Amino acid sequence: GDLSNLILLAMTDNGLSGEIPAELGQLSKLESLYLQANQLSGEIPGELGNLASLKYLVLDSNGLSGEIPAELGDLSVLTLFAMVNNGLSGEIPAELGQLSKLESLYLHDNQLSGEIPAELGGLSNLIELALNTNQLTGEIPLELVGLSNLNRLSLVGNGLSGEIPPQLGSMGALRYLLLADNALSGEIPPELGDLSSLRSLSLSGNQLTGEIPPQLGNPSRLTSLSLGENALSGEIPLAL
């Protein structure tokens, strides 16, 4: 059949199996592709990068494997990129930093490895970045500080190391800063107290040392503060 005018393709929550057909990349007018909650397997076809009109790509909760195709960085109008809870491996392609319209990037609960690409710091419209529960290593890229609209940064449950960048304190829109269960070291930057919109700060399960900065009591909207399972010392600040 001729589906060349298809705008929406939604096959969510079925028992679909097999691989994602590469031919879907020929649906030139497609704006929304929802294939989540099935039993799809195999690799994601790079041909999906040809979907020049695609705004929403959701492949969550399948059995997809292999690497994320670099070709997906060509989806110039994409706003939602979700591949949660699969078996994806390899590094996060630096080409995803070309997705200038992207607002939400959800890659958590996979087996992604390597460092977080500095190029993601160029996603100026990004509101939510969730890379938690993978096997990512290296330091938190300073370039992420440039994400001025970012509301949620979740990097929980990886192998990230190094110190928490004090510059994160300049991310005025940030409400959720979730860095628990990594190998982060050094002291907690007092600059995090400058995050006036912060609702939740999770730093537990790292290798943080030093005293708890009293500045963490500054954000008036803070409802959750988790600092357990570190090597912190000193007294609990009265400001908390």
Side-chain angles (χ1 to χ4, degrees), residues 36-174:
Q36 70 266 38
N38 282 288
Q39 299 167 25
L40 298 171
S41 59
E43 298 189 0
I44 299 166
E47 287 83 354
L48 297 185
N50 296 329
L51 297 172
S53 300
L54 199 66
K55 297 178 181 178
Y56 307 100
L57 176 59
V58 183
L59 306 178
D60 296 346
S61 300
N62 281 287
L64 299 171
S65 59
E67 299 188 0
I68 299 171
E71 292 90 338
L72 299 185
D74 295 333
L75 299 172
S76 59
V77 297
L78 198 69
T79 62
L80 171 60
F81 189 112
M83 298 185 174
V84 176
N85 191 26
N86 281 287
L88 300 173
S89 59
E91 298 188 359
I92 299 171
E95 288 82 357
L96 298 188
Q98 302 169 14
L99 302 173
S100 60
K101 305 283 188 184
L102 200 64
E103 296 179 0
S104 302
L105 179 56
Y106 303 120
L107 298 177
H108 52 91
D109 293 281
N110 281 288
Q111 299 166 23
L112 299 170
S113 59
E115 299 188 359
I116 299 171
E119 288 82 357
L120 298 185
L123 299 173
S124 59
N125 289 302
L126 202 64
I127 297 172
E128 299 208 346
L129 176 59
L131 306 178
N132 45 293
T133 321
N134 280 288
Q135 299 166 16
L136 300 171
T137 55
E139 299 188 358
I140 299 172
L142 280 179
E143 288 81 359
L144 297 186
V145 173
L147 300 174
S148 59
N149 292 307
L150 199 68
N151 181 303
R152 177 188 293 267
L153 176 59
S154 181
L155 305 177
V156 173
N158 282 286
L160 300 173
S161 58
E163 299 189 357
I164 299 171
Q167 295 89 336
L168 294 181
S170 67
M171 301 177 71
L174 204 59

Side-chain angles (χ1 to χ4, degrees), residues 148-218:
S148 59
N149 292 307
L150 199 68
N151 181 303
R152 177 188 293 267
L153 176 59
S154 181
L155 305 177
V156 173
N158 282 286
L160 300 173
S161 58
E163 299 189 357
I164 299 171
Q167 295 89 336
L168 294 181
S170 67
M171 301 177 71
L174 204 59
R175 294 184 182 183
Y176 302 92
L177 179 56
L178 311 175
L179 306 178
D181 299 325
N182 281 286
L184 298 171
S185 59
E187 299 188 358
I188 300 172
E191 289 85 351
L192 298 185
D194 296 335
L195 296 170
S196 58
S197 299
L198 199 64
R199 305 276 176 87
S200 179
L201 176 61
S202 180
L203 304 178
S204 59
N206 281 287
Q207 300 166 17
L208 300 172
T209 56
E211 298 188 358
I212 300 170
Q215 291 88 343
L216 295 187
N218 292 347

